[in-house]
Amino acid sequence: GLPPLTHEKASAEGAYRELFKRVIAQNEKYYARFPQDIERVCYLLRYCSEHVVRLPGGGRLGATLIKALGFSNLGTASGMERLHFMLENVV
């Protein structure tokens, strides 16, 4: 096998630190562009924590899946618009 990488920039901890910085930056850009979605996301998270919301396949919509929408969309070229479109009719 290969020896573990111990140099800080190449470590898993360093990689996650950089990833978290990018996630925060993308969230800030998104909410600066679509500030009305702050209320929509808060409402959706609150509603899903108080009610059972079933997805078409039978799974449950919860905070983890809602957060995954941002993670999967905000890293793509048209992701901000796609995410906003999904949230437009929440409230």
Side-chain angles (χ1 to χ4, degrees), residues 4 9 11-14 22 30 35-36 47 52-53 68 70 76 83 90:
K9 286 194 173 213
S11 71
E13 183 178 332
R22 178 141 171 82
Y30 178 80
Q36 67 275 25
Y47 186 87
V52 175
V53 179
T76 64
L83 182 58
V90 168

Side-chain angles (χ1 to χ4, degrees), residues 20-32 70 73-76 80:
F20 292 148
K21 287 179 190 175
R22 178 141 171 82
V23 168
I24 290 168
Q26 289 298 94
N27 274 279
E28 288 173 349
K29 283 196 289 188
Y30 178 80
Y31 288 124
N73 282 289
L74 296 182
T76 64
M80 286 190 185

Side-chain angles (χ1 to χ4, degrees), residues 61-72:
L61 179 62
T64 301
L65 286 177
I66 295 166
K67 292 174 186 177
L69 289 173
F71 192 74
S72 64

